Amino acid sequence: MQEIAAGFERFRREAFPPRAELFQRLATTHTPNALFIGCSDARVVPELITQREPGELFVIRTAGNLVPPYGQGADGIAASIEYAVNALGVADIIVCGHSECGAMTALASGTDMSQLPATADWLRHADASRALLTPSHQGDERIATLIRFNVAAQLTNLRTHPSVARALARDEVSLHGWVYDIGSGRIETLDTATGRTAELSA
Ligand code: ZN
């Protein structure tokens, strides 16, 4: 904890002053142009890998970058999606999976999660993706495939949210599927229509 407090001191001393004007503007405006949905994994830092400044990305992070389909009841994820699309008017929504994802590894390998009941329950949102795996998907390839299937499934789930469905119909928002590779720093983009992947470049 001491390191975190020291980091905050360093932020105030070194990072804040050169951005004072930006923070002053951000104190009264909030106009991000993209919603980034990523995994809670500490190694996947949305602003770092996309080199965005504060105020530029609206971020939701969940275990396994899962987006449950729209449903009844209070749901913080649905509320954040609705706010990003309807109130902030984001033009792009990115669902970003990643290599070595603990959630996807546990699902692909059938890990015993009896000591993690809440996690096991949450990961049921990836059941449809897991159902697409076949015995031909083995080892590391099985995990990598599930990571890709899972990103595609979450893009499908996003479409069930009324705010997203409406914005898509009006051509006001675009959906993007990514897989970030921690070891190489590369990002693979998924074309859900063709199933093809390509390396992300500007
Ligand atoms: Zn993960």
Side-chain angles (χ1 to χ4, degrees):
M1 188 58 212
Q2 206 184 338
E3 284 174 6
I4 293 176
F8 171 63
E9 275 308 316
R10 205 162 59 245
F11 162 74
R12 285 190 59 191
R13 210 173 46 240
E14 296 169 18
F16 190 93
R19 293 179 178 85
E21 212 173 297
L22 168 66
F23 285 120
Q24 200 168 21
R25 183 159 49 79
L26 291 177
T28 54
T29 59
H30 184 206
T31 55
N33 44 33
L35 165 61
F36 187 105
I37 301 174
C39 185
S40 302
D41 192 299
R43 300 165 294 180
V44 183
V45 183
E47 291 83 356
L48 180 67
I49 66 174
T50 59
Q51 290 291 285
R52 296 296 83 200
E53 285 286 357
E56 295 183 328
L57 280 188
F58 193 83
V59 175
I60 299 171
R61 292 175 74 172
T62 66
N65 43 272
L66 297 173
V67 183
Y70 187 77
Q72 302 267 311
D75 177 343
I77 298 169
S80 297
I81 292 167
E82 183 183 81
Y83 187 73
V85 175
N86 284 358
L88 301 174
V90 296
D92 295 284
I93 303 177
I94 298 152
V95 174
C96 184
H98 68 99
S99 64
E100 310 301 327
C101 184
M104 294 303 115
T105 303
L107 283 174
S109 20
T111 305
D112 172 25
M113 287 197 281
S114 51
Q115 298 305 309
L116 298 167
T119 312
D121 196 33
W122 170 249
L123 293 183
R124 291 206 183 95
H125 292 298
D127 276 354
S129 314
R130 185 166 55 167
L132 296 174
L133 289 174
T134 69
S136 71
H137 298 118
Q138 285 296 326
D140 287 349
E141 182 51 30
R142 185 174 173 82
I143 298 167
T145 303
L146 182 59
I147 289 167
R148 277 190 230 109
F149 284 171
N150 182 56
V151 168
Q154 305 320 306
L155 290 171
T156 302
N157 287 350
L158 262 177
R159 295 170 186 272
T160 66
H161 289 253
S163 55
V164 176
R166 188 167 45 240
L168 282 169
R170 293 176 181 174
D171 226 5
E172 291 170 351
V173 77
S174 304
L175 306 187
H176 312 271
W178 291 2
V179 176
Y180 169 64
D181 185 83
I182 294 170
S184 70
R186 291 169 186 267
I187 288 174
E188 185 181 69
T189 63
L190 307 182
D191 183 331
T192 50
T194 64
R196 290 208 184 98
T197 60
E199 191 167 335
L200 179 68
S201 58

